[in-house]
Every structure is written in structure tokens, then in C-alpha cells.
């Protein structure tokens, strides 16, 4: 199979869209962390501390997702350069590693979404407890 220069170029749009999504997640979490920090300063609570621990893990995952996506993009650029230099075999390896990196970044994204969903479920169950007590 011959790899054309257009094939690794396809990752540019994919990585760009993923980076926008990852950055949006990061920005919304930064806002949430600032709000929790203010709440914690006013009333130190274990529930808020647990949320902060959860957000700390999510921030680390997003950081890793972004770094791996960027490395994947760099590998695609190197792959395109190698194709330009007629180094098909080495270019395939770089492209394959770039695809693997993109897959890892997406898997981390799925993990972060799972953590986020679990945190929201805890919040919802707290509200359900209050509603059930009122009945």
C-alpha cells in the first residue's frame, strides 16, 4: 500500500476539532474549579473537597489528551515530510504511531467523560434525597 501525502493531512482537521473540544472542556472545568474554590473558602466541606479531587483527575486527563493529540499532529507532519522525501516505510511507521496516539487521546477522552458523568450522577442523587425527604 502506498501512502499519499493527503492521508496524514486528514489528521489536521480531526486534531483541530478535538483540540477545540478538549479546550472547551478545560475552560468549563476551570470556571467550575474557581466557583468551588470560592465555596470552599467560605465553607470547607468534604463534599466540595471530593469534587475538587475529581476535577483534579479530570484536568490531568484533559492535559494528557491534549499533549497526545499534539504529538499525533507532529507525527503527521513528520510523516508528510518523509513522504515528500520518498521515505514510504518510515512515513508509514510515523503515521501509524500518530494514529495510535490519536486513539489513546480519544480513549482518555472517553474515560474523562465517564468520570464527569459519575460526578453528575452523585449531584443528582443528592438532589433526589432532598426531594424524597420533602415528600
Amino acid at each position: 500500500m502506498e501512502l499519499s501525502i493527503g492521508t496524514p493531512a486528514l489528521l489536521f482537521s480531526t486534531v483541530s476539532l478535538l483540540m477545540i473540544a478538549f479546550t472547551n472542556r478545560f475552560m468549563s472545568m476551570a470556571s467550575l474549579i474557581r466557583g468551588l474554590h470560592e465555596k470552599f473558602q467560605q465553607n470547607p466541606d468534604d463534599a466540595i473537597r471530593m469534587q475538587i479531587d475529581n476535577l483534579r483527575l479530570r484536568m490531568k486527563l484533559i492535559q494528557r489528551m491534549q499533549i497526545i493529540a499534539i504529538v499525533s499532529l507532529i507525527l503527521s507532519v513528520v510523516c508528510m515530510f518523509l513522504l515528500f522525501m520518498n521515505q514510504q516505510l518510515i512515513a508509514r511507521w510515523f503515521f501509524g504511531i500518530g494514529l495510535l496516539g490519536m486513539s489513546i487521546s480519544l480513549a482518555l477522552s472517553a474515560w474523562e467523560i465517564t468520570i464527569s458523568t459519575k460526578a453528575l450522577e452523585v449531584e443528582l442523587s443528592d438532589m433526589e434525597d432532598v426531594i424524597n425527604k420533602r415528600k
Side-chain angles (χ1 to χ4, degrees):
M1 176 187 115
E2 179 121 354
L3 191 63
S4 73
I5 201 159
T7 305
L10 292 174
L11 283 183
F12 282 91
S13 59
T14 304
V15 170
S16 297
L17 290 173
L18 285 175
M19 291 302 291
I20 289 169
F22 296 164
T23 301
N24 286 341
R25 281 188 196 166
F26 179 84
M27 296 304 291
S28 65
M29 280 198 325
S31 175
L32 182 59
I33 288 169
R34 286 185 184 98
L36 283 175
H37 180 264
E38 189 174 307
K39 279 185 184 178
F40 191 78
Q41 294 295 334
Q42 294 170 0
N43 181 23
D45 184 10
D46 282 342
I48 294 174
R49 187 191 53 76
M50 289 172 48
Q51 288 178 345
I52 290 171
D53 290 343
N54 179 293
L55 289 169
R56 181 173 283 123
L57 174 60
R58 289 178 58 201
M59 292 291 284
K60 287 179 185 176
L61 287 173
I62 290 174
Q63 178 188 33
R64 289 180 181 128
M65 291 173 351
Q66 289 177 322
I67 290 170
I68 292 170
I70 290 167
V71 169
S72 178
L73 185 60
I74 291 170
L75 290 171
S76 294
V77 170
V78 172
C79 174
M80 290 170 60
F81 177 75
L82 289 168
L83 288 170
F84 179 73
M85 300 301 291
N86 289 324
Q87 298 294 319
Q88 275 285 326
L89 182 62
I90 300 169
R92 280 191 221 148
W93 277 100
F94 273 85
F95 184 65
I97 294 168
L99 287 177
L100 180 63
M102 184 60 59
S103 299
I104 292 169
S105 181
L106 290 170
L108 289 174
S109 177
W111 184 17
E112 190 270 332
I113 289 169
T114 302
I115 292 169
S116 173
T117 303
K118 287 179 183 177
L120 291 173
E121 287 174 8
V122 169
E123 292 289 324
L124 288 174
S125 68
D126 285 351
M127 288 189 296
E128 288 172 350
D129 290 344
V130 170
I131 291 170
N132 290 334
K133 286 179 185 177
R134 289 182 182 170
K135 289 183 179 181

